[in-house]
Amino acid sequence: NPKLFREKRAKSMEALYAIGNDKLIIGDQVGVLIDLESGKETILNIGSLKDVAILSTNEVLLATNQGVTRLDVQTGAKTPIKALQVRNYCVGNNLSSGSIYAGTSKGLAILNSDNELSYVSLHGKNIIARDMASTDDVVFVATSNSGILVFKNDTISEEWNVGTGLISNQVNHLEVIENQLFAATDKGIQILSIDGELVRWINRADGLVSENVSDFEVSGEQLWVVHRK
């Protein structure tokens, strides 16, 4: 039978992230780190949690409405990143260069390993980033109206949009799974090769109730979908 987790606690929960097999980060009113084995809860006081990027087994990046913070999930120690203390919507990292990518209210920011901050524009306009995913040396950025931007060496190397074969320029969520890029859009889920070639398009004909997909998770051969009407 299902168990009601954290009964009689804060009812509002904006985010839920699993860190490894034994920890959860819950985005309620203040943010909570939970050790599932011991039951210990650490109140983070980070504001409204929007996204999490895993740096290692011990360290993650948290994107909140107050900025970006490094969190040691073993100790609960927090280190706010001073250059990124603005409203954030998503966060990611370049595994090769060590740069941090942040989708902020001011646009897409990149903080390099020398702590130098820059904002990236596309055709002279700010980039509204919705999500990020990465391989060893490539960062994929989902945007609200420009499709997927591909970053190599912390610069835009490719633009994937309806003109290059995307089903929509509104991309809500990205994940790299078994060397393929899964993209949730307002017209279904598109599966691409890492090089951008179409593998599959999942839409109403495949059983989606709505094609406006906001999030998803792949577990084995099952695809779990969160959608909007």
Side-chain angles (χ1 to χ4, degrees), residues 141-214:
V141 176
T143 71
S144 60
N145 55 19
S146 301
I148 299 172
L149 303 179
V150 183
F151 284 78
K152 295 181 180 179
N153 299 317
D154 294 334
T155 59
I156 298 174
S157 64
E158 296 180 59
E159 301 173 38
W160 297 348
N161 49 45
V162 292
T164 64
L166 282 189
I167 55 177
S168 173
N169 283 339
Q170 179 184 318
V171 183
N172 302 320
H173 180 59
L174 293 173
E175 284 193 34
V176 176
I177 301 172
E178 295 183 356
N179 211 36
Q180 292 181 328
L181 183 66
F182 286 60
T185 78
D186 61 337
K187 294 184 179 179
I189 296 176
Q190 194 162 10
I191 304 175
L192 306 165
S193 72
I194 293 300
D195 297 322
E197 299 296 324
L198 175 63
V199 176
R200 186 177 177 185
W201 176 18
I202 301 172
N203 55 22
R204 284 185 182 274
D206 299 292
L208 291 184
V209 175
S210 167
E211 292 180 346
N212 191 2
V213 178
S214 58

Side-chain angles (χ1 to χ4, degrees), residues 60-79:
V60 299
L61 293 171
L62 308 177
T64 78
N65 63 337
Q66 298 177 3
V68 176
T69 297
R70 289 180 183 270
L71 172 69
D72 186 317
V73 298
Q74 301 300 327
T75 66
K78 301 174 296 181
T79 307

